[in-house]
Each structure stands twice: as structure tokens, then as C-alpha cells.
Amino acid sequence: MAGKSINLFLMDGDPNGRIKCSLANWTGVAYKIPRTMLDKARNIEALKQTGVYLLFGADPATDEPVVYIGQAAVRKNGMGILNRWEEHKRDTDKDWWNEAVALTTRDNSFGQTEIAYLENRFRNMALDAGRYRVMNGNEPAQGNITEEKECEMDEFISNARLIIGTLGYKVFDSLLGNRRVVEVVEAPDDDPIFTFHYGKVEARGTRTAEGFVVMAGSHICPTTTKSVPDNVIKNREKYAPTLTADGMLTKDLLFTSPSAAAGFVGGASLSGNVTWRLPDGRTLKQLDGQG
């Protein structure tokens, strides 16, 4: 992928405040606004426009990251995106969100067709990525869009995805991304799949820039040892909804390290550097040239 030049403007001189984000040679623009600063956002003309937006927060019961994706058209009061945010702020059913991101254009060129298409695509992309629980009830209608307009919107989506990730939200990025995951190392840039055998349990995983991913379809040990670490117990409780009755993972799970992943799978205190192995028997430690 070619390099990209992204401009982040800290509107309050504070990384925790309002942020404007733009991309070189792109008509789009994004704003990240904390819920507590909606009043200070009233002077941002772009937030009075038509656009799409994302509300980010966490489930108060489980601390699971959640997102709501919506669209906003300009109302009779002359307000667009900001008006919808203020409505959500008054909605007691949406008191979980603490930050909002708006996506619009510098020339206010979005119509109803464009925002309907974008809302639909963004919602489905977030579901496919599986990092956040999507709070939208029903799938929004995509609307009727021409082939030419669809191509234009897909380019907007590609840039918006990059910007939202830059703002700290990987809501559209799967845990494995577009990386080349292979059974054995064939080239320096390959990301090999490691296997884990513990009794009758078998799991598969791979390293990423964020940590270690245990892949969907893996099985975990149904029991834990007496000396099992507390973090393993917490992870098993946290990810219980992702397991079938026979202990199979239904989605990819990210852990901070190979050992955290191994502990989760084996239900014990285990060294990931020696328990995760390539098909030829080499351990993760040996692959790194440490043994």
C-alpha cells in the first residue's frame, strides 16, 4: 500500500479533546468529539451537514466495546449530524457511549443515497470485523445506487476506514487483517500458524502486531488446574459466550501474548513460547532464534 499523509488537528490542544482529521487529496473530513464536549462542537459547521457517524463506548455490564452506526440528514433547524448526537445524548437507552466520530465532506456533497449506502456498508463491515458489538437493531437499507456512485463511495469508505483506525478505533479491521497467514514459513513476511496440543485439546493461532490471536475453530481444555492464574479465569469468563458446548471457539480472539493465549486454551499456567509449535515441531521460541 502506498503511503498516506493524514492531518490531525487537536482543536483544543489536547489529544483527549475535539479532533479534526483530514487526508491529503480527499474531499472527506472526520471529527472525533467526546460526549462531554458536544456543546463546544456547535460552532463546527461541518457537523451541521449530512453525514454518517459512529458512537463508541462500552457495555456497562461486561465492559465489551460497543458501537452504534447511524446517518444524519439536515433538519429544518439547520442541524445535521450534531442534532442526531444530541438526540442520542438524551436517549437513556444509549447512555453507554462516550465518544462520537462524524464522517462528512468538505463541500457538503452527501445526499440521502450516499449516507444510506455508507451506513449499510459501515454497519456490515463492523459486524464482519467482530471487534465491537454493533448496537444497531436492524440492517439499514442500502438504497438504490448507481455503479458510478458505488465506486465513488467505496473509495470514500477506504479512506474513512484508514482515518477511523488512526483515531484509535479498529472497528472495521479484523484481528487477522489482510496478512498472509500460512501453515509454514515460506517468506520473511509470512505469518505462520502455530498449533497447540494439550491432552486432547488442539488449537491454532498466529502472532500479530497487537499480540497473539487464537483462531476460530480451536478447542479449549474444559477444566483448569488448581494453580491456574487469575487472568486465565477472567479471560475464560469474558469469552464464555464465544464457546460452543464442546469448547470450540466461534470467533478469533486476541490475547496480549502467546502465554496468555496458551493459558486460556490449556486452563493452566503455560509458556506460549514452547507450547505453540509449527507443523514441523519448531516452537515459537525456536522460530525467533532463541533455542
Side-chain angles (χ1 to χ4, degrees):
M1 178 184 292
K4 297 283 187 178
S5 178
I6 296 177
N7 181 58
L8 293 177
F9 174 50
L10 306 183
M11 302 175 71
D12 305 296
D14 181 354
N16 297 312
R18 299 172 300 161
I19 299 176
K20 177 183 179 181
C21 190
S22 56
L23 187 65
N25 302 316
W26 185 49
T27 60
V29 62
Y31 288 87
K32 178 180 176 181
I33 308 293
R35 178 174 178 150
T36 56
M37 302 183 77
L38 291 190
D39 287 343
K40 291 187 67 176
R42 284 185 168 276
N43 63 339
I44 301 175
E45 290 299 317
L47 295 183
K48 301 175 183 179
Q49 299 180 168
T50 295
V52 293
Y53 62 88
L54 301 92
L55 305 179
F56 291 100
D59 186 303
T62 64
D63 206 33
E64 177 186 13
V66 293
V67 63
Y68 177 87
I69 300 168
Q71 58 168 283
V74 177
R75 306 288 184 86
K76 291 182 179 180
N77 62 4
M79 301 291 282
I81 297 169
L82 187 61
N83 189 81
R84 288 292 291 135
W85 286 355
E86 291 178 337
E87 289 177 348
H88 288 310
K89 186 176 181 180
R90 295 191 294 268
D91 185 353
T92 57
D93 291 333
K94 288 190 175 67
D95 62 355
W96 47 263
W97 67 277
N98 49 47
E99 286 185 322
V101 173
L103 293 163
T104 185
T105 58
R106 300 178 190 179
D107 56 0
N108 194 21
S109 59
F110 279 158
Q112 187 59 45
T113 299
E114 287 87 350
I115 60 173
Y117 180 80
L118 292 173
E119 180 189 23
N120 176 277
R121 284 291 310 280
F122 284 139
R123 180 257 190 190
N124 290 333
M125 286 167 57
L127 286 174
D128 290 342
R131 288 183 182 254
Y132 286 69
R133 178 152 59 88
V134 180
M135 302 297 282
N136 297 61
N138 300 317
E139 179 178 4
Q142 181 173 305
N144 296 318
I145 190 168
T146 65
E147 183 177 358
E148 295 83 0
K149 182 58 69 174
E150 181 177 357
C151 182
E152 181 183 333
M153 288 299 97
D154 286 349
E155 182 178 0
F156 183 91
I157 289 169
S158 178
N159 288 327
R161 180 176 185 170
L162 180 64
I163 279 183
I164 289 175
T166 301
L167 290 172
Y169 299 107
K170 297 183 178 181
V171 61
F172 300 135
D173 300 328
S174 71
L175 293 178
L176 297 179
N178 297 320
R179 298 153 57 250
R180 184 168 183 261
V181 181
V182 296
E183 293 291 343
V184 294
V185 179
E186 300 173 355
D189 293 332
D190 287 343
D191 296 299
I193 294 175
F194 297 89
T195 57
F196 175 101
H197 294 277
Y198 192 71
K200 296 182 179 180
V201 171
E202 180 176 325
R204 286 155 54 91
T206 186
R207 288 183 295 186
T208 73
E210 298 176 83
F212 195 93
V213 174
V214 179
M215 300 168 72
S218 298
H219 284 79
I220 74 167
C221 185
T223 60
T224 59
T225 63
K226 292 183 179 180
S227 59
V228 60
D230 289 341
N231 70 301
V232 172
I233 297 296
K234 291 178 180 178
N235 280 333
R236 287 202 162 196
E237 292 174 349
K238 176 181 178 180
Y239 294 125
T242 69
L243 293 167
T244 63
D246 63 349
M248 184 186 78
L249 281 181
T250 58
K251 62 181 290 186
D252 298 331
L253 297 180
L254 174 66
F255 295 89
T256 55
S257 69
S259 292
F264 172 79
V265 174
S269 178
L270 298 168
S271 170
N273 283 331
V274 297
T275 52
W276 292 104
R277 293 176 176 267
L278 292 173
D280 61 11
R282 282 180 297 164
T283 64
L284 194 156
K285 183 178 180 180
Q286 291 171 324
L287 184 65
D288 286 341
Q290 301 176 22

